[in-house]
Structures are given as C-alpha cells and as structure tokens.
C-alpha cells in the first residue's frame, strides 16, 4: 500500500518549480504506450524531487489543444494517438512524491494556418475560423483568440473549469502569451470603438480575462498565478500584460517574472531587474517567484553585449540567482525548462551538471 505523501502548502512553502512544456512532451514523450509514459513521468518527477524542488508546471493547454481528456479542446497533436491521460498520470506520480502540480495554460495562442484542416469540424475554434468570426485572428501564420469578446472569454474559462473540476491540480498557471506582439489595429477592427486607445483597450481585455480565470480557480480554492515577461515595458506596451493591475486588485496569487538575464547583462542585469519586480509586489499579498533561465547554461547570450559569455564562463549562476532571490525574501524560483537541466545537449552536459551541483549546495 502506497504511503500518502502530503503536497506542500503554497503559502507556507518556498516554491522551487520547474516548467515542463509542450517542447518536453514533443521531444521526450512521443510514441509511448501508457506503461512507458508512466515510467518516464515517474522518472521526471523523481529527478525534480531529488533536486529538492516541490512544484511542476505541466503544460495542459498550449495551442487551444489538450494534454488531458477534454470535451472542449481536441487532443494535442504533439502526442498523437495516445489512449491515456498525460495530465492525470503526471498528477498521480507527482503527488506520490509530495510535489505540487499546476496545470499550465496558454489561453490565447492557437493553431497554425496549415493545421486547421487536421481538426474535427465540430471544434469551436475551427468553426470560428471557417465562419470568419472576429473571435480569432491570424498573425504571422498563427491564429490567436481575441479576449475582447465574451464568447472567447467564456471558452477560455470553460477550459479552466474543466481542468479544475476533473483533476486534482494544485493550481492554474499562465505564462506571457497574451496579444501577439505584431498585432496591428486590424486585430480589433470589428470591436474597437472610434478614438479608443488601443493599448488601454487591450490591457482591459486581458485584465478581464485574468479576473474571470481567477474567479473560476478560486471556486475550487486553488492557486492561480502568471509568469509575465521579465521586461516590464514589453509586457505592458507590446503584449498588454498589465501585471500592476493584477497585483493592485489581487487577482493573482503570484507572479513569476521571467528574469532570464545574467548579472552582466547591459540593460537588464539580474539584481537590478529583481529589485524592480520586488517593488511591484511591495505591500501586497501577491507572492514573487523568480523565473530563471536554465536554457542559457553554457550558452552564449548573444544579446548581452560584453556579458555574452557569462553563462559559459560560470557554472553557478542559477545557484547565485536562487540565493539572491531568497535573500530578497522572494517566495522561490522557477527554472525554464525541464529539458535544460535533465536532457541537455551532449556538449553542455558537464556544464549543466556543475550548475546543478552548485544549486544543490544551497538547497536545504
């Protein structure tokens, strides 16, 4: 008989989390039967547990698809022809080890143009595309849902309701795919009022969507948080993720800004950027968890100017960044992504191993 392992309480626990994305599914979990998939999920959870981490953000919705048994979205084509429930298996294996699982959703990002014909005609998103509804628009060969419409917000919330009603998730997690960055005014042409400020209009739409998701999640007394871009100006003015409003109104439990830069970055050095994000949540109940760039270990950061070799010349950056976050009373860290730590490229393996060993020395 399995011994029950308690899952840590979000508010009373320093969160140490890993993102497990659709890319991880695509590269390491395809063409497996249920037994093989379960074995891999168990190994993944064990690796996270041995690192002394306690939370995993598992992709449940990446492109208006489902990595679970959904009556709303079609099964993801990233795991074609599976006869089992990936999310359910991950939750079961993680909870055995006392690891929290939050279902990670991308609410607005949808399918590519060439994928439309592969979908069942009954799928609501395909119907909207075929009927030329303004609820979904194409930008750079990919479709995006438009949260300006009640029909869209209702669809997104229904998916959240479906997950929280049918799975023992510990929360719902979102990242920074809001409006596509190249969406011109034609994206909103059918609904934007004459003379309206486009930026304010879009921020308000995202804010309303976030608020509705929060209401849905809180009906189940679960945790809800968002991982915005670490670049504040980009988040607010380009993709319209108004994190200040989320904090001011308390419609998120946490933020995980993606502070994916080293200490020597010329415009977004880690410590300065971390301090700016600490000020965002100051005097609020919203927790700050710091998103760290595991994917940069041992790799040249081509946009970092004179600091481009920082991740190559050092094998303890994540360890230092974790300690800085703790010393600044953050609620924890999250690393993107699982594959960066546990399936690195051959030429990066020794560098990643050194980084992990350095990180472990600071984890109690």
């Amino acid at each position: 008989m399995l011994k029950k392992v308690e899952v840590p309480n979000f508010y009373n626990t320093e969160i140490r989390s890993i993102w497990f994305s659709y890319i991880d599914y695509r590269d390491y979990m395809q063409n497996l039967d249920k037994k093989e998939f379960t074995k891999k999920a168990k190994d993944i959870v064990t690796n996270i547990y041995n690192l002394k981490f306690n939370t995993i953000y598992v992709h449940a919705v990446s492109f208006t698809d489902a990595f679970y048994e959904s009556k709303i979205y079609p099964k993801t084509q990233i795991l074609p022809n599976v006869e089992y429930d990936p999310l359910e298996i991950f939750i079961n294996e993680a909870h055995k080890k006392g690891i929290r699982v939050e279902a990670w959703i991308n609410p607005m990002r949808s399918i590519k143009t060439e994928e439309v014909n592969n979908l069942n005609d009954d799928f609501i998103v395909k119907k909207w595309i075929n009927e030329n509804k303004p609820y979904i628009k194409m930008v750079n060969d990919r479709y995006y849902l438009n949260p300006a419409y009640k029909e869209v917000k209702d669809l997104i919330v229904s998916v959240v309701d479906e997950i929280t009603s049918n799975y023992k998730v510990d929360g719902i997690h979102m990242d920074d795919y809001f409006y596509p960055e190249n969406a011109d005014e034609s994206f909103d042409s059918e609904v934007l009022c004459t003379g309206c400020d486009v930026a304010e209009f879009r921020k308000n739409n995202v804010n309303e969507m976030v608020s509705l998701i929060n209401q849905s999640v809180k009906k189940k007394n679960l945790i809800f948080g968002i991982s915005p871009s670490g670049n504040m100006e980009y988040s607010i003015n380009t993709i319209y993720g108004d994190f200040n409003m989320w904090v001011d109104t308390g419609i998120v439990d946490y933020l995980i800004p993606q502070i994916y830069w080293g200490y020597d970055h010329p415009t977004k050095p880690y410590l300065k950027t971390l301090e700016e994000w600490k000020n965002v949540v100051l005097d609020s109940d919203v927790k700050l968890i710091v998103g760290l760039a595991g994917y940069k270990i041992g790799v040249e950061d081509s946009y970092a100017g004179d600091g481009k070799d920082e991740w190559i010349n050092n094998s303890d950056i994540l360890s230092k960044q974790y300690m800085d976050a703790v010393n600044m009373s953050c609620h924890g860290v999250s690393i993107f992504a699982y594959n960066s730590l546990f399936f690195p490229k051959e030429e990066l393996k020794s560098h990643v191993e050194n980084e992990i060993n350095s990180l472990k020395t600071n984890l109690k």
Side-chain angles (χ1 to χ4, degrees):
M1 182 176 178
L2 285 172
K3 180 181 178 182
K4 180 176 173 59
V5 181
E6 290 297 326
V7 175
N9 178 283
F10 172 83
Y11 290 105
N12 299 332
T13 305
E14 177 188 291
I15 297 299
R16 301 167 180 176
S17 54
I18 296 280
W19 278 286
F20 191 88
S21 80
Y22 76 90
I23 297 171
D24 294 304
Y25 272 124
R26 182 196 67 196
D27 292 349
Y28 312 112
M29 306 294 275
Q30 286 190 338
N31 303 314
L32 304 177
D33 62 27
K34 183 175 182 180
K35 183 177 179 180
E36 293 168 333
F37 185 95
T38 302
K39 172 64 167 59
K40 276 209 171 185
K42 182 177 181 180
D43 291 343
I44 289 163
V45 167
T46 299
N47 286 337
I48 293 170
Y49 176 82
N50 289 342
L51 190 60
K52 298 183 180 178
F53 274 42
N54 56 33
T55 299
I56 179 170
Y57 303 123
V58 179
H59 240 148
V61 175
S62 57
F63 301 96
T64 60
D65 55 357
F67 289 86
Y68 65 95
E69 293 296 326
S70 176
K71 294 182 179 179
I72 304 169
Y73 281 172
K75 283 186 176 181
T76 176
Q77 291 305 299
I78 293 167
L79 298 178
N81 304 317
V82 297
E83 299 297 330
Y84 48 84
D85 190 325
L87 180 60
E88 182 69 26
I89 291 172
F90 258 111
I91 292 169
N92 289 341
E93 294 302 322
H95 283 178
K96 289 176 188 176
K97 288 284 192 181
I99 292 176
R100 302 177 63 257
V101 177
E102 294 190 25
W104 171 11
I105 65 170
N106 296 114
M108 292 172 58
R109 183 178 65 180
S110 190
I111 56 178
K112 289 186 175 181
T113 310
E114 64 268 21
E115 295 170 335
V116 174
N117 290 334
N118 298 332
L119 297 171
N120 190 296
D121 290 340
D122 292 334
F123 178 34
I124 185 64
V125 168
K126 184 175 182 179
K127 287 183 177 180
W128 287 349
I129 292 171
N130 288 340
E131 295 169 5
N132 200 30
K133 296 286 188 182
Y135 310 148
I136 187 164
K137 291 289 186 73
M138 188 198 306
V139 178
N140 293 340
D141 201 39
R142 181 176 293 284
Y143 285 100
Y144 291 82
L145 294 172
N146 188 336
Y149 295 91
K150 181 180 184 300
E151 291 85 350
V152 170
K153 291 190 282 281
D154 287 347
L155 175 65
I156 291 168
V157 172
S158 73
V159 170
V160 174
D161 285 340
E162 183 177 57
I163 294 171
T164 59
S165 296
N166 297 329
Y167 294 87
K168 294 181 180 179
V169 293
D170 301 288
I172 294 291
H173 173 79
M174 289 168 50
D175 64 355
D176 61 337
Y177 282 94
F178 300 111
Y179 279 85
E181 63 179 38
N182 296 315
D184 59 28
E185 290 191 20
S186 66
F187 194 87
D188 303 302
S189 59
E190 295 87 350
V191 71
L192 185 65
C193 61
T194 303
C196 284
D197 184 293
V198 175
E200 289 304 310
F201 175 78
R202 290 179 176 176
K203 282 189 290 185
N204 288 338
N205 293 332
V206 172
N207 290 342
E208 186 174 351
M209 178 183 69
V210 170
S211 179
L212 290 170
I213 293 173
N214 178 65
Q215 291 173 36
S216 171
V217 173
K218 291 308 172 186
K219 289 177 184 177
K220 301 295 192 300
N221 294 314
L222 298 174
I223 297 298
F224 172 53
I226 299 178
S227 176
S229 167
N231 185 328
M232 294 183 180
E233 183 178 356
Y234 173 83
S235 181
I236 291 176
N237 297 325
T238 302
I239 58 175
Y240 308 105
D242 186 4
F243 50 83
N244 287 310
M245 185 273 187
W246 310 335
V247 172
D248 291 344
T249 56
I251 58 174
V252 293
D253 294 298
Y254 64 81
L255 293 179
I256 311 183
Q258 298 164 21
I259 308 181
Y260 290 166
W261 302 287
Y263 292 90
D264 299 332
H265 194 280
T267 58
K268 297 292 179 184
Y270 177 75
L271 282 176
K272 179 176 180 291
T273 307
L274 177 57
E275 289 172 357
E276 291 172 351
W277 278 100
K278 276 293 293 182
N279 288 332
V280 170
V281 301
L282 194 66
D283 298 326
S284 78
D285 293 326
V286 176
K287 303 295 186 182
L288 186 70
I289 303 168
V290 185
L292 304 179
Y295 69 94
K296 287 189 175 179
I297 298 172
V299 177
E300 179 184 298
D301 190 350
S302 56
Y303 295 100
D306 292 340
K308 64 184 177 63
D309 293 329
E310 181 178 8
W311 296 86
I312 298 174
N313 296 334
N314 298 277
S315 294
D316 60 352
I317 294 181
L318 294 186
S319 177
K320 288 180 177 178
Q321 291 183 333
Y322 163 73
M323 288 306 301
D324 286 331
V326 170
N327 291 335
M328 291 182 66
S329 300
C330 295
H331 199 57
V333 299
S334 186
I335 297 177
F336 185 85
Y338 180 85
N339 62 76
S340 303
L341 298 185
F342 298 106
F343 290 115
K345 294 178 180 179
E346 188 65 35
E347 64 269 23
L348 298 177
K349 282 186 176 179
S350 61
H351 207 117
V352 170
E353 183 177 351
N354 290 337
E355 189 78 58
I356 288 177
N357 288 335
S358 178
L359 183 61
K360 281 182 175 180
T361 62
N362 289 324
L363 296 172
K364 298 178 181 178

